[in-house]
């Protein structure tokens, strides 16, 4: 685990420096889908502070065994409306808001509890039918609806671009997400909209070169997922 994290940090630093960025601008999120709590503990011992889970149920099972650790939990998988309340209770930040009904549900929960919830908007930058996220052309209208909802703070954009063996083919999608963030920040006067969650084990170096502030690393950090019993 220590060696994996060292290698990832080194690659992030090299990618950042290539484009004149500071390596400390990029945070590593441990994408813990299918990973054991023991592996998460190992990563935290090496300095990891951000954990991402794809499924509400999986986070619900793991969190009690990790409650002694200082962790920030992100939901990085699709959020169903019937899981919104549980997700609201479990996660510090939700990266996958992509429709108004989910945003409204989360806003109502914020109003009930007095909590402010940071969120990212998931964008389907490749327009893929099998992927979640809002299409880029519909994003301004969604932002217009969400930006004034009580309790919600739009902090960033997130994407899962099409997969290519050649990571250079992914670069235009990361660049597009950065451009969208910059356009929205200016158009809607959203100074808090600074984060870009993009890049995974296969392509995070290119994502860093294109402006990622959070890279979601699973197997390159934790190794293979724990087989289901």
């Amino acid at each position: 685990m220590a060696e994996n994290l060292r290698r990832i940090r080194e690659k992030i630093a090299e990618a950042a420096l290539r484009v004149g960025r500071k390596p400390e601008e990029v945070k590593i999120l441990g994408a813990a889908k299918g990973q054991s709590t023991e592996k998460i503990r190992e990563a935290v011992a090496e300095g990891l502070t951000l954990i991402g889970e794809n499924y509400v149920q999986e986070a619900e099972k793991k969190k009690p065994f990790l409650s002694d650790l200082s962790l920030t939990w992100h939901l990085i998988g699709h959020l169903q409306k019937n899981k919104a309340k549980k997700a609201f209770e479990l996660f510090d930040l939700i990266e996958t808001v992509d429709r108004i009904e989910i945003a409204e549900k989360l806003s109502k929960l914020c109003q009930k509890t007095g909590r402010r919830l940071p969120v990212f908007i998931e964008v389907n930058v490749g327009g893929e039918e099998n992927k979640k996220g809002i299409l880029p052309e519909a994003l301004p209208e969604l932002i217009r609806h969400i930006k004034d909802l009580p309790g919600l703070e739009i902090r960033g954009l997130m994407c899962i671009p099409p997969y290519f063996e050649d990571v250079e083919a992914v670069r235009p999608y990361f660049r597009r997400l950065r451009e969208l963030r910059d356009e929205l920040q200016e158009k809607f006067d959203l100074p808090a909209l600074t984060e870009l969650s993009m890049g995974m084990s296969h392509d995070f170096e290119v994502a860093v070169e294109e402006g990622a502030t959070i890279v979601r690393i699973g197997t390159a950090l934790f190794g293979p997922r724990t087989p289901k019993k």
Side-chain angles (χ1 to χ4, degrees):
M1 189 69 68
E3 177 58 23
N4 289 350
L5 254 179
R6 185 199 64 76
R7 193 180 301 114
I8 292 163
R9 286 173 177 144
E10 192 174 85
K11 288 181 177 180
I12 287 172
E14 289 171 355
L17 292 170
R18 279 196 294 270
V19 293
R21 298 183 66 199
K22 296 176 181 177
E24 57 268 28
E25 292 174 3
V26 186
K27 299 177 281 291
I28 299 169
L29 177 146
K33 173 185 173 182
Q35 303 292 349
S36 67
T37 53
E38 290 80 8
K39 283 189 177 181
I40 294 172
R41 281 189 175 278
E42 282 183 52
V44 172
E46 298 300 329
L48 190 76
T49 59
L50 289 183
I51 288 291
E53 287 288 356
N54 284 67
Y55 302 116
V56 172
Q57 309 94 298
E58 193 168 341
E60 190 175 15
K61 288 177 182 176
K62 290 178 182 176
K63 277 196 81 175
F65 297 100
L66 300 166
S67 59
D68 58 309
L69 302 178
S70 182
L71 282 172
T72 301
W73 291 77
H74 287 208
L75 179 64
I76 58 174
H78 178 64
L79 179 56
Q80 298 170 324
K81 194 174 178 182
N82 64 347
K83 298 280 176 40
K85 185 175 185 295
K86 183 57 69 176
F88 179 83
E89 294 166 354
L90 288 168
F91 292 97
D92 301 295
L93 187 149
I94 293 174
E95 293 200 14
T96 52
V97 174
D98 62 358
R99 55 206 190 282
I100 188 63
E101 57 263 36
I102 282 291
E104 288 177 341
K105 176 75 172 174
L106 294 171
S107 175
K108 286 176 183 175
L109 291 164
C110 286
Q111 291 173 75
K112 280 183 182 177
T113 59
R115 176 186 173 192
R116 286 193 65 78
L117 177 69
V119 298
F120 295 174
I121 309 299
E122 182 176 6
V123 185
N124 186 347
V125 284
E128 296 173 277
E129 289 184 9
N130 63 332
K131 288 214 178 130
K132 304 296 182 183
I134 189 160
L135 294 172
E137 55 267 28
L139 182 56
E141 188 61 27
L142 182 65
I143 294 282
R144 188 174 286 109
H145 276 95
I146 292 177
K147 72 182 185 71
D148 295 322
L149 287 177
L152 297 187
E153 184 173 20
I154 305 172
R155 292 267 188 88
L157 303 180
M158 177 266 215
C159 76
I160 304 172
Y163 180 87
F164 295 98
E165 198 63 42
D166 176 10
V167 293
E168 280 300 316
V170 190
R171 187 181 295 277
Y173 298 97
F174 292 145
R175 184 175 298 149
R176 180 62 180 136
L177 196 73
R178 186 188 75 235
E179 290 169 350
L180 285 167
R181 182 208 51 194
D182 295 347
E183 290 165 12
L184 294 166
Q185 195 180 59
E186 183 176 351
K187 181 174 183 177
F188 293 105
D189 188 24
L190 294 170
L193 176 58
T194 58
E195 302 279 6
L196 289 174
S197 175
M198 59 189 195
M200 296 187 279
S201 294
H202 175 63
D203 54 17
F204 69 88
E205 292 170 81
V206 173
V208 170
E209 290 176 353
E210 290 300 330
T213 62
I214 295 174
V215 291
R216 308 184 303 274
I217 312 295
T219 53
L221 171 61
F222 295 111
R225 292 172 185 159
T226 304
K228 289 184 180 180
K229 296 179 180 179

